[in-house]
Amino acid sequence: MSHGPNVRPTVDDSPDGTVLTSAPGDAPVDRATAAARRVVDALLRTDRANANLDRVAEELDSIANHLEQHAPAVAERLVDMWHGEGVTRHDPVTGPENAIAPPLVLTGRGEGSVDGVVTLTIPYQGPPGHVHGGVAAQLLDHTLGVANTWAGRNGPTAQLNVRYHRPTPLFVPLTVRGRMVSQEGSKINSIGEIRTADGTLCVSVAGLFIDKTVARPR
Amino acid sequence: MSHGPNVRPTVDDSPDGTVLTSAPGDAPVDRATAAARRVVDALLRTDRANANLDRVAEELDSIANHLEQHAPAVAERLVDMWHGEGVTRHDPVTGPENAIAPPLVLTGRGEGSVDGVVTLTIPYQGPPGHVHGGVAAQLLDHTLGVANTWAGRNGPTAQLNVRYHRPTPLFVPLTVRGRMVSQEGSKINSIGEIRTADGTLCVSVAGLFIDKTVARPR
């Protein structure tokens, strides 16, 4: 079944393998954001003494000035950002326009779950060489929200219970998975997990969400 | 009491108002990171059609190339990054060298809690005009870790239970607070919350941590 641009696909009307988030493309803003991600990562790795960081600071400030000079008022931008009912491009987990996002790309499965593979690097570090516990929570919270949408539900997080089974490694592919498991009235229960490529469970989550539409700026 | 550079202050030996995280300073790497934060934010706000984003992508890639050319091998950088036992400068919540960090600055209080004030902008957005639930979880996870250190304990997160009482607004000062409440053997229990300036509770958290030292790269 085909979709108009403003319809969110669900497991009931869309095939296994449907991409549910907005994968980075070749648009100039996607390329600029991908480059900004590289800068964020490289700033944490570069030689503090010999990388001419005074000059880098000036150049980055100059680019920020340029971008801000071309920015509309924030209220206006928020309306534009939320225009339509399609997939967001700006969120801090999957957004190709958000340099904070790794970004994670999530795919819907015919049996009802959603999953994606992501490799995290130094900006996402908590314990030495491992993923920050809060970053894992953030990826899982967002994945459960996308899983709810794939199940035909939608609404904000009410409660998130995250369990850390073992340290989650940086620099290797991680599979992030989520699914809606039950609904009672407006309460949606969803679960998720992060595993390494060999199937080792690192983090699991159970979330309670409230099934309601959140108003978008107009 | 004074501290050497490798000692983490605790409520038992340090005065009310001790800053527990590494506040951004005037070092070139701090200024370059602050400028990168401005770029990340402005990329989400600028005019998609008229900000010459093709050129911006080229310039940012060029800066990333320069920084990477001056970067040591990742394994070497990890050792350097974790050298000493002081406060980290690279984590994704408080790190002045991490452009993903807002950054949050946390202060220790004489009665045992830690707190900080932070204003979040569009990169941290979840629901329209509000903070991403996963971002709130991330700030609270990190704050509980710092609260445990202030209480003289230390160790990774085992479990994090986050409750979302109401949407947390962007663009206004938020107070993030945490404290260790009890310890049984190696199990540390800590709680925290995020409130707006008028005291409205937005998010609360209860965390279970394991009291142990995590090995640093050598």
Side-chain angles (χ1 to χ4, degrees), chain A residues 43-87:
Chain A
L43 273 172
L44 281 161
R45 294 191 289 108
T46 202
D47 187 320
R48 271 69 193 121
N50 296 307
N52 207 353
L53 291 172
D54 278 312
R55 174 71 185 281
V56 168
E58 279 172 28
E59 289 177 355
L60 289 171
D61 267 324
S62 162
I63 292 172
N65 290 342
H66 163 79
L67 294 170
E68 288 176 0
Q69 278 153 18
H70 290 80
V74 168
E76 182 185 335
R77 175 70 189 124
L78 277 174
V79 171
D80 188 50
M81 187 175 259
W82 288 99
H83 183 70
E85 298 296 327
V87 174

Side-chain angles (χ1 to χ4, degrees), chain B residues 130-184:
Chain B
H130 291 85
V131 177
H132 193 283
V135 169
Q138 184 175 358
L139 293 180
L140 286 166
D141 172 59
H142 197 86
T143 298
L144 296 194
V146 173
N148 293 342
T149 303
W150 180 236
R153 275 72 171 184
N154 202 19
T157 319
Q159 203 172 323
L160 202 67
N161 297 334
V162 191
R163 284 172 183 266
Y164 299 88
H165 302 271
R166 54 183 54 74
T168 306
L170 293 175
F171 312 122
V172 300
L174 302 169
T175 299
V176 186
R177 190 172 280 119
R179 68 157 63 235
M180 193 199 82
V181 287
S182 66
Q183 179 167 11
E184 298 168 56

Side-chain angles (χ1 to χ4, degrees), chain A residues 31 38 44 46-48 51 54 61 65-68 70 77 97-98 123 132 138 142 158 160 162 164, chain B residues 31 38 44 46-48 51 54 61 65-67 70 77 97-98 123 132 138 142 158 160 162 164:
Chain A
R31 285 189 283 113
R38 289 185 62 210
L44 281 161
T46 202
D47 187 320
R48 271 69 193 121
D54 278 312
D61 267 324
N65 290 342
H66 163 79
L67 294 170
E68 288 176 0
H70 290 80
R77 175 70 189 124
E97 300 182 11
N98 191 334
H132 193 283
Q138 183 175 359
H142 198 86
L160 202 67
V162 192
Y164 299 88
Chain B
R31 284 189 284 113
R38 290 185 60 210
L44 281 161
T46 201
D47 187 320
R48 270 72 192 118
D54 278 313
D61 267 325
N65 290 342
H66 163 79
L67 294 170
H70 290 81
R77 175 70 189 124
E97 298 182 12
N98 191 333
H132 193 283
Q138 184 175 358
H142 197 86
L160 202 67
V162 191
Y164 299 88

Side-chain angles (χ1 to χ4, degrees), chain A residues 21-157:
Chain A
T21 56
S22 187
D26 196 44
V29 67
D30 290 22
R31 285 189 283 113
T33 305
R37 262 181 219 117
R38 289 185 62 210
V39 169
V40 170
D41 187 82
L43 273 172
L44 281 161
R45 294 191 289 108
T46 202
D47 187 320
R48 271 69 193 121
N50 296 307
N52 207 353
L53 291 172
D54 278 312
R55 174 71 185 281
V56 168
E58 279 172 28
E59 289 177 355
L60 289 171
D61 267 324
S62 162
I63 292 172
N65 290 342
H66 163 79
L67 294 170
E68 288 176 0
Q69 278 153 18
H70 290 80
V74 168
E76 182 185 335
R77 175 70 189 124
L78 277 174
V79 171
D80 188 50
M81 187 175 259
W82 288 99
H83 183 70
E85 298 296 327
V87 174
T88 60
R89 304 195 89 251
H90 53 75
D91 73 75
V93 174
T94 75
E97 300 182 11
N98 191 334
I100 285 182
L104 174 65
V105 176
L106 290 165
T107 300
R109 301 300 171 189
E111 33 73 6
S113 69
V114 307
D115 61 54
V117 176
V118 68
T119 299
L120 299 172
T121 54
I122 289 182
Y124 306 98
Q125 184 178 227
H130 291 85
V131 177
H132 193 283
V135 169
Q138 183 175 359
L139 293 180
L140 286 167
D141 173 60
H142 198 86
T143 298
L144 295 194
V146 173
N148 293 342
T149 302
W150 180 237
R153 274 72 170 183
N154 203 18
T157 319

Side-chain angles (χ1 to χ4, degrees), chain A residues 152-178:
Chain A
R153 274 72 170 183
N154 203 18
T157 319
Q159 203 171 321
L160 202 67
N161 297 334
V162 192
R163 283 171 182 267
Y164 299 88
H165 302 270
R166 55 182 53 73
T168 306
L170 293 175
F171 313 121
V172 302
L174 301 169
T175 299
V176 186
R177 190 172 281 119

